[in-house]
Amino acid sequence: MSVNADDLAEVVRYALETTRATAACPFHWDVIIRIGDDAAESHAFERARKIVRSDGTNWPAVALRKEFARQLGAAADGRCPMCGVDGSA
């Protein structure tokens, strides 16, 4: 899986998905499920923090925290609200 390091939303989505902090519902691909694993979310933040943009810099921690909060806040907690499937599938 590759990521556009210059797109903050994509960097955060990549970090959350690859650490299994979030998952897409297998039946509703537009529904993102927050797994609720604090360690995975912390790992995702550290992974995103280490991604280097094309200009050689990293994303500022404040910008990362804001985008993590936005994406995790928008995710369904534990289950897909459309079908009830949990994020472990």
Side-chain angles (χ1 to χ4, degrees), residues 2-59:
S2 65
V3 62
N4 176 2
D6 293 324
D7 182 340
L8 178 59
E10 191 174 327
V11 166
V12 170
R13 184 173 45 254
Y14 167 83
L16 289 168
E17 288 177 3
T18 59
T19 58
R20 298 185 186 218
T22 61
C25 173
F27 305 107
H28 305 100
W29 290 101
D30 58 331
V31 176
I32 302 299
I33 302 166
R34 183 177 187 176
I35 305 304
D37 182 344
D38 291 339
E41 291 178 13
S42 294
H43 185 182
F45 183 82
E46 290 304 314
R47 179 169 288 177
R49 196 172 64 80
K50 293 177 182 176
I51 292 175
V52 179
R53 296 187 286 182
S54 63
D55 65 1
T57 63
N58 299 89
W59 284 100

Side-chain angles (χ1 to χ4, degrees), residues 55-85:
D55 65 1
T57 63
N58 299 89
W59 284 100
V62 173
L64 285 171
R65 283 189 191 95
K66 195 174 195 178
E67 184 61 20
F68 267 87
R70 187 191 71 75
Q71 288 191 30
L72 290 172
D77 283 330
R79 295 191 163 294
C80 173
M82 298 177 74
C83 68
V85 171

